[in-house]
Amino acid sequence: MAMSERKTEDIRDTLLALKAELEDLSEMSGEARATVQLDQQSVGRLSRMDALQGQAMAQASERQRRATIQRIDAALSRLDSGDYGYCVECGEEIGAKRLEVDPAAAFCISCAR
């Protein structure tokens, strides 16, 4: 899959835009992940439980964002090394449609199963 320089730059731009969007979301959600205050005078018991649940959901979302950013960084490395578009498991070419849907895909459809 010999990619043209233009195609490589388009892919790089797409990956970098996705990464920037995820990093922005991460920054905006920092307050939601912050430690929940357990002061009973200022917040009732149910409100604290809601706050703890919201915090847990925000932390889970952050873990997913971080994992996706790592996948994007790995895809950018593969792009730099010329290995982008090939399965890291079997070495076969990853389908163009799969890469359109997930430009950070590291596995062909067979290995991803």
Side-chain angles (χ1 to χ4, degrees), residues 8 22 28 52 91:
T8 300
L22 290 168
M28 289 188 296
L52 288 169

Side-chain angles (χ1 to χ4, degrees), residues 4-65:
S4 69
E5 191 172 315
R6 179 73 194 139
K7 179 78 171 167
T8 300
E9 286 308 309
D10 289 346
I11 294 167
R12 183 181 313 285
D13 291 345
T14 299
L15 289 167
L16 290 172
L18 286 170
K19 182 177 178 178
E21 183 180 332
L22 290 168
E23 287 173 340
D24 288 345
L25 284 170
S26 182
E27 189 175 317
M28 289 188 296
S29 70
E31 189 175 310
R33 294 187 317 271
T35 303
V36 174
Q37 299 298 319
L38 298 177
D39 181 9
Q40 283 190 303
Q41 302 295 49
S42 63
V43 181
R45 182 173 169 219
L46 290 177
S47 295
R48 280 195 325 276
M49 289 174 64
D50 286 343
L52 288 169
Q53 183 180 16
Q55 177 194 38
M57 289 178 3
Q59 289 172 340
S61 292
E62 177 65 11
R63 282 190 297 274
Q64 285 180 316
R65 275 192 293 277

